[in-house]
Amino acid sequence: MKKIINILMIAVLLGMFYSCKPTEKGYKQAYDAAKSKREQVDPDEDLLTGGHKLLSQESTNWRVIAGDSLQVQHMFLKPTEGAIWPQSGPYRLAVAMLKMTTNANSMLSDLKEKGSLKPVIATDGKNSYYIIAGSATYLDSLGNVLTTFKKENPGFQYIGMEKESPLIIVGR
């Protein structure tokens, strides 16, 4: 009797072990379900990778303003002591990024002598000084600032700027 019970126990255990084992059919069903779910996801909407959206505040984007492709970056800048923003608005046109205040002050004085814009120096608090040529309430309005800057400063070298072009900074 004891042998029969042991044999039945072993058979039950083997049956349980075999039934818990995943099958190829189970793997295929899980793969097909994951694949159909992945195909239903719109990467522009669900993953926020579209040309009009940013993944984070440090992310970048590109916009065409006044015929130029300009990089857009979100960052918090504040004017250096005693300076105020040239115009109100969250969009700022940065034309240079320098590491030394003396170089930034020198470039600022040269730009002020040349034109009608009222540039300022702004800092990100990390020892980077940006020359801000102007600000605007709307991104399209910043095109006027860029056009005026280019007309008054032909051949200007955008020091410290990626792709040797101005940078649009969106700030608070």
Side-chain angles (χ1 to χ4, degrees):
M1 182 76 169
K2 198 173 185 183
K3 278 187 175 183
I4 294 175
I5 293 175
N6 285 341
I7 290 174
L8 286 174
M9 293 276 276
I10 290 173
V12 168
L13 288 173
L14 284 174
M16 285 176 32
F17 177 73
Y18 180 74
S19 66
C20 292
K21 200 171 169 187
T23 62
E24 184 177 341
K25 182 180 177 184
Y27 281 127
K28 178 143 178 55
Q29 286 175 343
Y31 173 78
D32 289 340
K35 183 178 177 185
S36 68
K37 186 177 181 181
R38 191 173 50 238
E39 288 172 351
Q40 291 174 359
V41 171
D42 179 10
D44 285 344
E45 188 62 35
D46 295 335
L47 301 178
L48 300 179
T49 57
H52 59 284
K53 297 180 182 176
L54 298 175
L55 292 170
S56 72
Q57 294 296 324
E58 290 77 32
S59 295
T60 59
N61 202 351
W62 292 88
R63 295 293 174 114
V64 176
I65 303 291
D68 289 330
S69 292
L70 303 181
Q71 184 181 19
V72 178
Q73 227 175 26
H74 287 249
M75 66 174 63
F76 182 73
L77 291 180
K78 62 179 183 175
T80 54
E81 194 172 318
I84 57 170
W85 293 118
Q87 293 92 15
S88 63
Y91 299 102
R92 311 194 192 305
L93 182 70
V95 294
M97 193 276 298
L98 304 151
K99 295 291 184 182
M100 295 179 63
T101 56
T102 53
N103 292 342
N105 286 327
S106 174
M107 182 178 281
L108 181 70
S109 64
D110 289 348
L111 289 175
K112 280 184 175 180
E113 289 175 9
K114 287 183 180 178
S116 62
L117 295 174
K118 296 178 175 87
V120 297
I121 299 173
T123 182
D124 61 357
K126 300 175 187 170
N127 294 328
S128 293
Y129 300 95
Y130 293 86
I131 304 292
I132 305 296
S135 307
T137 306
Y138 302 103
L139 196 55
D140 293 337
S141 305
L142 205 58
N144 298 335
V145 176
L146 178 60
T147 303
T148 302
F149 181 81
K150 289 171 104 177
K151 189 186 318 175
E152 293 175 352
N153 300 286
F156 183 82
Q157 292 184 340
Y158 302 99
I159 298 171
M161 297 283 117
E162 188 175 322
K163 308 276 185 192
E164 296 182 9
S165 68
L167 171 70
I168 298 171
I169 297 175
V170 182
R172 297 176 214 122

